[in-house]
Amino acid sequence: MNDMGELPLSTLDQNQLRRDILLGRNSLVWQRLATNSRVAERVICTIGHRDIADFEFTENDRVWVFSYSRCGHENKVLLQRLKDARVAEIVYLSSSSARIAAKVSCYEYPRIKRQAELLVDAMPIGRVLTVGLIYESESELPSGHNAATSINELAEFMLAPHWTANRTDLLRLVKRPFASKFEQLFYRSYSFAMLATGNYPCMLRPVDLLLRALGMQWYGYVYLSNRAWISTIS
């Protein structure tokens, strides 16, 4: 009960009162989510980062930030504009790879995601939703262990958000078979090489290019991120 003698709203009631806005209408994740009719109905408006200045936000808006810029300053400006607009909630869609950025800074994507996470963490209205590799079918995922999130799981969360403090890790461990013994041998050799590089895994970028050319997807920060999450979500 609050100071006016009224009972507080339940999480369900709060969700029903929210006006859901999606920032990042051109993101691949949203394009896949938009095929879900319930999510498409729930999100009343999708906008791009260039629309923020002229968009009329309200104090009941929950803004899902799927937008991403390779420039950290641009992300900072975007988040500050949302804060200045006095929306109810800012939900930042982060990546499981951001976890490695505290120790390894040579990979751009995890580093930028981590920087944005810290900005959102500092906002009273900010929430961070961490997802893994996004997929519709598990066959899309790399071989080996993956910290992953299905499109359906993300859709269900958006329809009924729930939080532990200001963060939620929406991912699970998905193990995929190797295409061949050759790939499995490459994976094991790569693991030893990663250990040998210590805090300088980007020394293996020439190897990463070779693996990419061979159609393998588990190299670089994807490998490090998956390894970092195994003990947490297994």
Side-chain angles (χ1 to χ4, degrees):
M1 187 172 292
N2 60 25
D3 294 338
M4 298 178 64
E6 299 170 329
L7 292 175
L9 290 173
S10 67
T11 300
L12 178 59
D13 290 335
Q14 291 178 18
N15 285 334
Q16 290 174 339
L17 288 174
R18 290 286 181 256
R19 190 176 78 149
D20 286 286
I21 311 295
L22 191 289
L23 174 57
R25 63 183 170 208
N26 295 321
S27 75
L28 294 177
V29 174
W30 171 246
Q31 289 174 23
R32 300 176 86 172
L33 276 170
T35 62
N36 184 307
S37 59
R38 292 189 299 155
V39 173
E41 182 179 351
R42 179 65 175 269
V43 176
I44 70 152
C45 186
T46 60
I47 60 177
H49 68 278
R50 295 180 180 177
D51 302 320
I52 293 180
D54 299 321
F55 189 81
E56 294 186 9
F57 291 101
T58 76
E59 62 183 11
N60 290 323
D61 288 347
R62 172 167 46 213
V63 184
W64 299 84
V65 182
F66 285 23
S67 182
Y68 165 78
S69 171
R70 296 177 65 180
C71 174
H73 178 70
E74 290 182 359
N75 293 320
K76 181 178 181 179
V77 169
L78 179 149
L79 291 168
Q80 185 61 47
R81 285 180 176 175
L82 291 177
K83 180 182 178 181
D84 292 344
R86 300 184 181 277
V87 298
E89 288 181 74
I90 299 172
V91 181
Y92 183 73
L93 187 72
S94 191
S95 163
S96 56
S97 65
R99 184 171 184 172
I100 69 169
K103 294 183 178 180
V104 178
S105 62
C106 62
Y107 296 110
E108 179 184 83
Y109 182 73
R111 184 178 69 250
I112 296 298
K113 281 293 189 180
R114 175 63 176 161
Q115 290 172 358
E117 279 189 3
L118 295 176
L119 292 171
V120 175
D121 278 338
M123 298 180 180
I125 60 172
R127 300 188 187 276
V128 176
L129 175 61
T130 300
V131 297
L133 298 174
I134 298 291
Y135 69 93
E136 289 185 71
S137 167
E138 291 185 0
S139 62
E140 301 169 29
L141 297 171
S143 303
H145 291 88
N146 298 280
T149 307
S150 73
I151 282 291
N152 286 338
E153 288 168 337
L154 180 53
E156 290 302 320
F157 184 90
M158 291 185 70
L159 292 169
H162 49 278
W163 302 96
T164 301
N166 67 331
R167 282 179 169 264
T168 290
D169 298 331
L170 186 68
L171 31 73
R172 60 191 177 89
L173 195 65
V174 179
K175 185 177 180 180
R176 293 288 302 151
F178 290 95
S180 65
K181 290 184 178 181
F182 173 75
E183 183 186 14
Q184 189 170 20
L185 177 61
F186 243 130
Y187 184 89
R188 289 176 178 174
S189 299
Y190 189 84
S191 298
F192 286 122
M194 269 292 190
L195 287 173
T197 62
N199 292 328
Y200 304 96
C202 289
M203 293 173 60
L204 293 181
R205 276 182 169 167
V207 179
D208 295 345
L209 292 175
L210 173 61
L211 294 172
R212 180 179 180 179
L214 293 172
M216 300 175 192
Q217 302 173 289
W218 39 256
Y219 55 84
Y221 66 78
V222 172
Y223 171 86
L224 290 173
S225 173
N226 286 335
R227 295 295 298 178
W229 281 96
I230 284 176
S231 61
T232 304
I233 59 178
S234 59

